[in-house]
Amino acid sequence: MGKFVEVSKIGELKEGAIKAVNPAGREILLARVEDKYYAADNRCPHMGGKLAQGKLEGTVVTCPLHSSQFDLSNGQVVRWLKGAGLTSKLGGVLKRPKPLTTYNVKVKEDKILIEI
Ligand code: FES
């Protein structure tokens, strides 16, 4: 069990927003969906795309590099790469789908804390 560290204030993250935070030198993304907060690795398990720069739809984030999608509520792969192009096929062969590491989040007063 890790310890909870503050990564943001509630007012700093709007509904539907996603941002990168760096507690203890780690690259983690923080997202707010319908007043719930989610935290996960900011680096895509495929080739390290920065997921905080991706698109958030509900709790699903789309990687800005090759469009893999992950559910931030559990880290599960929703889609591994996009389309049937050569890059996608090679990427799929070279790297098997891997879930995203997620982190426990809690809110205390006006602070958002992540367990790391
Ligand atoms: S780096 Fe994210 S899908 Fe390739």
Side-chain angles (χ1 to χ4, degrees):
M1 213 163 129
K3 79 175 201 183
F4 281 90
V5 296
E6 180 183 344
V7 291
S8 182
K9 303 276 190 219
I10 286 177
E12 294 172 355
L13 199 61
K14 291 183 189 156
E15 169 61 32
I18 187 167
K19 75 172 187 175
V21 294
N22 297 93
R26 298 196 201 188
E27 290 189 59
I28 293 176
L29 71 81
L30 185 65
R32 177 176 167 184
V33 180
E34 293 177 3
D35 284 331
K36 281 192 75 175
Y37 296 91
Y38 301 90
D41 277 344
N42 189 23
R43 304 297 293 228
C44 177
H46 178 232
M47 291 177 69
K50 301 219 177 202
L51 295 172
Q53 294 171 3
K55 191 173 169 191
L56 184 65
E57 294 168 285
T59 59
V60 175
V61 65
T62 302
C63 178
L65 288 190
H66 313 107
S67 302
S68 286
Q69 294 181 319
F70 305 91
D71 189 334
L72 295 178
S73 68
N74 55 20
Q76 292 303 303
V77 176
V78 174
R79 176 178 70 200
W80 188 248
L81 307 177
K82 184 181 182 184
L86 183 60
T87 305
S88 181
K89 281 184 178 159
L90 284 174
V93 168
L94 297 175
K95 288 232 176 189
R96 290 273 155 232
K98 196 173 158 205
L100 189 64
T101 300
T102 57
Y103 300 88
N104 291 325
V105 180
K106 74 177 180 185
V107 174
K108 192 173 179 189
E109 293 153 10
D110 65 336
K111 301 176 185 120
I112 304 170
L113 303 107
I114 294 177
E115 186 179 22
I116 56 173

